[in-house]
Every structure is written in structure tokens, then in C-alpha cells.
Amino acid sequence: MIGNMLEYYNMTKKNNVEIIYTGALWAGGIEGLGSTLRRQMEFEELSLSASQSVFSVFVELMNNMLMYSVEKMDIEGHPGVSKGVFVLASKQKVYFAQSGNMMKTENVELVKGRIDYLNSLDKQGLRKFYKEKIRQKDENEGSKGAGLGLIEIAKRSNEPIIYEFTPCGEDLTFMTICVKIG
């Protein structure tokens, strides 16, 4: 997987960086970044379906970091704000989205398994799986959702989701997710 991550990084580095953000994540902050992203896509005159896909992946990656990052900061009036990194680059209306956040090492295998399963499905299989997941409760006690975010990302991606988990001590791992859209 590391070779793919380096290739992805190099593609991102060679392309037009649209947004790069690192730091505190809270709902209002994500809304502000989302507004900036929408304006940027309007300037680029993306088709409605392409802009919806890029925006949907952005929202799901940001929500994933917001909910599951174990790295927290206290900001006046907002204790326990999540931390993460988000990069969006483009080349000829193809977008590359990358996010990263610290997570509990005990959840790595669960997340890997979910992404690997999603990567094994075609678009029709992803739509069917999404409908099934909507109807059932998530069996993961630590989950704050039904796992729909990763499915939505996989549905919108043109290629399998690329991921990397970098151990950062005994209990923490830095998770990176990369997605190609468009």
C-alpha cells in the first residue's frame, strides 16, 4: 500500500492544490470550508454531478475526521474539538481528496476490513450494500454512525479507496484515506 500512497502523493503534488487544511475540526468550520469548495467548483464550471461527487466526498471525509479523530483540542467555548488534515487537488477536472487523522489502533483492522470490502464491490454492489446498511444498526459499539460515510465515498470514487495506517505509539495510529473523483 505504501507504493500507492507515494504515487498518490506525487500526483497530488504535481496537480493544482484547491484546498489544504490542517487543524481544528468542528461543524461550523467544516461548513465554512464547504462554502469555499462550492465557490471554487463554480469558478471551474464543473458539471452538477461532478461537483456533487467532490462535495459529497469532502463532507464524508471531514465528518469521518470530526467523529473518529482521537486527537482533540480545546478551543474557547468548544472543548474536545477534533483535529485532522484535508487536501484537495485537481488536474483537468479530476479531483484527488486526501484526509488524515489520529485513531485508536484497536480499530485499524475493522476500518481496513470495511474499506477492503467496499473496494471489492462494483458500483451496483455498492448501491445495494448502501441500501442494506440504511436498514440495519451498526454492530460496532464504537461507531457513531451506520458506516454509510465510507460507502458514500466508495460510490463517488472512480478507483478503489487508498488507505494507509501509520502506527504512532502503542495505542494510536494515523489513518490516511485517498480518493480519486471525476
Side-chain angles (χ1 to χ4, degrees), residues 87-156:
V87 177
L88 182 71
S90 68
K91 184 175 185 176
Q92 299 172 344
K93 298 189 182 185
V94 174
Y95 284 78
F96 308 94
Q98 183 172 347
S99 68
N101 62 277
M102 202 67 73
M103 65 181 286
K104 292 180 182 179
T105 299
E106 67 190 46
N107 294 326
V108 168
E109 290 306 314
L110 174 71
V111 174
K112 276 184 185 179
R114 284 184 175 184
I115 295 173
D116 288 342
Y117 178 70
L118 295 174
N119 283 342
S120 74
L121 299 174
D122 62 12
K123 294 297 180 190
Q124 183 177 356
L126 286 166
R127 283 190 294 275
K128 181 180 175 190
F129 186 59
Y130 184 86
K131 288 177 185 176
E132 290 171 8
K133 289 298 276 184
I134 286 175
R135 294 182 185 103
Q136 67 180 204
K137 185 179 176 193
D138 193 339
E139 64 281 351
N140 178 18
E141 294 174 11
S143 179
K144 296 172 181 76
L148 298 176
L150 283 175
I151 301 170
E152 185 65 27
I153 291 168
K155 284 173 41 182
R156 303 286 184 157

Side-chain angles (χ1 to χ4, degrees), residues 30-31 33-35 37-38 41 51-67 86 97 99 149-150 152-153 181:
I30 292 172
E31 288 173 17
L33 279 172
S35 294
L37 176 58
R38 281 193 189 274
M41 289 186 294
S51 63
Q52 286 175 337
S53 289
V54 171
F55 191 76
S56 179
V57 168
F58 161 78
V59 167
E60 295 302 342
L61 288 174
M62 295 302 269
N63 279 330
N64 183 56
M65 291 187 293
L66 183 66
M67 290 193 301
F86 179 81
S99 68
L150 283 175
E152 185 65 27
I153 291 168
I181 314 143

Side-chain angles (χ1 to χ4, degrees), residues 7-27:
E7 180 181 324
Y8 188 89
Y9 173 76
N10 287 330
M11 285 190 330
T12 303
K13 198 167 96 175
K14 292 177 192 174
N15 298 316
N16 183 35
V17 174
E18 305 286 341
I19 293 176
I20 190 164
Y21 181 83
T22 183
L25 298 169
W26 68 99

